[in-house]
Amino acid sequence: MADFHGEAACVLENHFVRLEYLAHSARVVRFAPQGKRSLFADLGKDPTPTPYGDFYFRGGHRLWHAPEAMPRTYIPDNDGATLDEIEHGVRIDQPVEPWTSIVKSLTIQLNPDQPQVILRHELRNEGAWTVELAPWALTMLRLGGVGIFPQPVRNAGDTSLLPNRKLAFWPYARLDDPRLILRDDCILVRAHPQLPPLKFGYFNPDGWMGYWLDGILFVKRFDAHMPASQYPDGGCNVESYCNDKFIELESLGPLGALTPGQTIIHTELWEINDGLKGPFIPEEIRRLIDKTARGSQLVEQ
């Protein structure tokens, strides 16, 4: 067992990575290569008041459902979870949410042979009414690194008569934000403490995004097989939020009508590439970007 600001946390680890999750909630609060500092932001236990009690961001990884709204999105997930050990991991089931009647579940499994984690996010409707939502997996990381968000490239034979890229910006985001770097092959975000916050989103057909910090490249892979029109927030399956405390890498599933008793699943695969050295975007990172863009398919265990 471990401690997270007075809350009990359980440990999953192998030769490659160490991960800590809360013993009473579907939250991953620390994650790192073995022997290294956690990549995740740590926000302690500052409360966000809601009509259903205090919500805590905490830092790390959580499951929400989009589109974002208060209080629906911020219904607390502080306690009452049940844990079941599975091969190389754990399944965590939250109690039914008040008002929404949605049940959140998170399955975490370590790949015993590689520095990889498979996360299966589930939302189940236990209510009497259909609910429109999208699964939304958010990972809060420490500042000081660079977020990497691949962009669609021009295909051979493309006549360029139709657009192939669209970005969504939130009202508080500045288009001249110095943290934001727009490139043809990817969008980069220098994760430095600055206000106002920056948030953008887009449809990412490549199914991955990354964060480079302290010589480590953290990659999140996800399913990206649905048309852009079926995702929330103007067709976004990837979003990123950066403020003066953390940067978030967010993947979203398609927006749909979840009928009573129905479950929707959203899977992520986390990968760690350790020991990378060099300047802002070293050649090692460029090769990994190229490799990941061609990369392996998302595989569940």
Side-chain angles (χ1 to χ4, degrees), residues 12 14 49 51 58 66 88-89 112 123 142 174 189 229 237 258:
L12 276 178
N14 58 18
R58 292 187 175 90
H88 306 304
L123 298 171
R142 288 192 287 116
R174 290 172 40 197
V189 178
S229 60
N237 66 353
L258 197 65

Side-chain angles (χ1 to χ4, degrees), residues 23-100:
H24 50 77
S25 177
R27 295 290 195 100
V28 183
V29 292
R30 297 186 180 106
F31 179 60
Q34 280 288 4
K36 300 290 183 70
R37 180 185 175 190
S38 175
L39 299 172
F40 286 176
D42 184 341
L43 303 185
K45 287 192 66 178
D46 290 336
T48 298
T50 82
Y52 300 94
D54 288 337
F55 177 87
Y56 299 100
F57 281 98
R58 292 187 175 90
H61 184 78
R62 69 189 186 277
L63 171 60
W64 269 3
H65 40 90
E68 186 172 1
M70 176 63 86
R72 191 193 78 170
T73 312
Y74 293 81
I75 292 177
D77 58 353
N78 298 326
D79 49 41
T82 59
L83 309 181
D84 292 296
E85 291 187 6
I86 59 175
E87 186 177 15
H88 306 304
V90 65
R91 178 183 173 91
I92 309 170
D93 293 291
Q94 290 285 150
V96 179
E97 286 185 343
W99 188 37
T100 71

Side-chain angles (χ1 to χ4, degrees), residues 100-162:
T100 71
S101 296
I102 299 298
V103 173
K104 297 174 181 174
S105 300
L106 177 63
T107 301
I108 310 168
Q109 287 182 287
L110 303 185
N111 185 333
D113 302 315
Q114 296 186 52
Q116 294 179 334
V117 184
I118 301 96
L119 297 101
R120 179 185 171 104
H121 309 81
E122 298 181 24
L123 298 171
R124 186 172 73 256
N125 184 358
E126 289 290 343
W129 315 106
T130 296
V131 179
E132 186 176 63
L133 53 73
W136 187 9
L138 305 93
T139 307
M140 305 170 76
L141 298 133
R142 288 192 287 116
L143 296 178
V146 180
I148 304 169
F149 304 91
Q151 290 294 294
V153 296
R154 180 173 174 174
N155 297 319
D158 188 353
T159 61
S160 299
L161 297 180
L162 297 175

